[in-house]
Amino acid sequence: MDMYLKPTEYFDYQNKYIQEFAANIKGTSLTEKAVSIYYLVRDSVKYNPYTLKDGVASLKASYCLESHQAYCIPKSALMIALCRYHGIPARLGLADVINHLSSPKLIEWLKTDYFAMHGYVEVYLEGKWVKATPVFDQELCTKFGVKPLDFNGKSDSILQANTTDGKKHMEYVKQHGTFEDMPVALILQTVQEVYPHLLHEFTTMFNPASNHREETAEWNPNQD
């Protein structure tokens, strides 16, 4: 399990903001701490899919606390970083989904209702891997009529197929598996294939602290 406890460039729990944020975690057992982490990440960082434009830097766990908003992958990265910091093995899961509640504005921006590389978390608790999805904050769920997704540390917590009134919500289409670290090359390849119009923005580095963008070297999709 050592590989699922280490800090990485993207699960960067050595970051001072993450360590300060970790002081808010409650509980004595690992399960209690994992549940506390889940709710902190879910509701303390506002879900905003448009932060995808902030590029590769937005994949980091610390990005969430520097920007106070993020999409599914960095929010999952933050939960992973906090879990690892507290000695809880954690890894990233990725899946393709269709969000039937997507706004017309978001669909127009993405040019599709197909959400590639939806991020979630797997944590190892009480002898098994359990899925957790600390993505949609309570305020957003209320707006769209979806019950906020809960997590008890014992059973899988994945996005609901339907809203409280029976409308279609989230449809899982493809599983990409789980990852010890952020699979940046795979994510970039997917952006090129599914959102080619966003590739330039995504491969432009963004520093949320300085609100400054810097051009990266041209990305080669055949390069790891």
Side-chain angles (χ1 to χ4, degrees), residues 95-106:
D96 293 352
V97 299
I98 295 175
N99 186 347
H100 294 279
L101 297 181
S102 295
S103 68
K105 178 183 176 183
L106 181 58

Side-chain angles (χ1 to χ4, degrees), residues 15-17 54 57-58 60 62-69 205-214:
N15 179 277
K16 67 175 183 178
Y17 296 115
D54 288 343
S58 71
K60 288 188 175 186
S62 56
Y63 170 87
C64 296
L65 300 180
E66 292 166 348
S67 298
H68 308 293
Q69 56 183 346
M205 298 300 290
F206 175 76
N207 182 344
S210 64
N211 198 32
H212 177 67
R213 290 176 178 271
E214 295 179 353

Side-chain angles (χ1 to χ4, degrees), residues 48-99:
N48 183 354
Y50 297 101
T51 56
L52 179 72
K53 73 181 185 303
D54 288 343
V56 175
S58 71
L59 296 171
K60 288 188 175 186
S62 56
Y63 170 87
C64 296
L65 300 180
E66 292 166 348
S67 298
H68 308 293
Q69 56 183 346
Y71 52 102
C72 55
I73 296 179
K75 289 192 71 170
S76 295
L78 178 58
M79 180 172 175
I80 291 166
L82 289 166
C83 283
R84 291 185 179 188
Y85 180 71
H86 278 274
I88 304 167
R91 62 192 184 190
L92 178 69
L94 293 171
D96 293 352
V97 299
I98 295 175
N99 186 347

Side-chain angles (χ1 to χ4, degrees), residues 112-123:
T112 179
D113 64 351
Y114 190 90
F115 285 71
M117 295 290 163
H118 157 69
Y120 62 92
V121 179
E122 285 194 356
V123 288

Side-chain angles (χ1 to χ4, degrees), residues 190-210:
T190 302
V191 171
Q192 183 188 45
E193 292 172 355
V194 183
Y195 314 115
H197 59 293
L198 299 179
L199 183 64
H200 175 73
E201 278 193 298
F202 195 78
T203 52
T204 299
M205 298 300 290
F206 175 76
N207 182 344
S210 64

Side-chain angles (χ1 to χ4, degrees), residues 40-179:
L40 276 171
V41 174
R42 190 194 75 178
D43 294 329
S44 297
V45 179
K46 184 178 178 63
Y47 175 75
N48 183 354
Y50 297 101
T51 56
L52 179 72
K53 73 181 185 303
D54 288 343
V56 175
S58 71
L59 296 171
K60 288 188 175 186
S62 56
Y63 170 87
C64 296
L65 300 180
E66 292 166 348
S67 298
H68 308 293
Q69 56 183 346
Y71 52 102
C72 55
I73 296 179
K75 289 192 71 170
S76 295
L78 178 58
M79 180 172 175
I80 291 166
L82 289 166
C83 283
R84 291 185 179 188
Y85 180 71
H86 278 274
I88 304 167
R91 62 192 184 190
L92 178 69
L94 293 171
D96 293 352
V97 299
I98 295 175
N99 186 347
H100 294 279
L101 297 181
S102 295
S103 68
K105 178 183 176 183
L106 181 58
I107 292 173
E108 182 181 3
W109 183 61
L110 293 176
K111 301 188 186 302
T112 179
D113 64 351
Y114 190 90
F115 285 71
M117 295 290 163
H118 157 69
Y120 62 92
V121 179
E122 285 194 356
V123 288
Y124 193 78
L125 297 168
E126 300 178 21
K128 65 177 183 178
W129 287 102
V130 185
K131 293 181 175 64
T133 313
V135 176
F136 297 144
D137 57 275
Q138 188 167 12
E139 181 181 349
L140 184 70
C141 288
T142 300
K143 178 180 178 180
F144 283 95
V146 179
K147 185 180 181 299
L149 192 60
D150 292 321
F151 178 60
N152 61 15
K154 300 179 184 299
S155 55
D156 288 343
S157 178
I158 60 174
L159 296 172
Q160 307 96 318
N162 300 97
T163 64
T164 51
D165 59 0
K167 294 178 182 177
K168 282 186 176 182
H169 178 207
M170 196 67 67
E171 179 183 350
Y172 284 80
V173 178
K174 180 180 180 180
Q175 289 286 344
H176 294 280
T178 57
F179 303 87

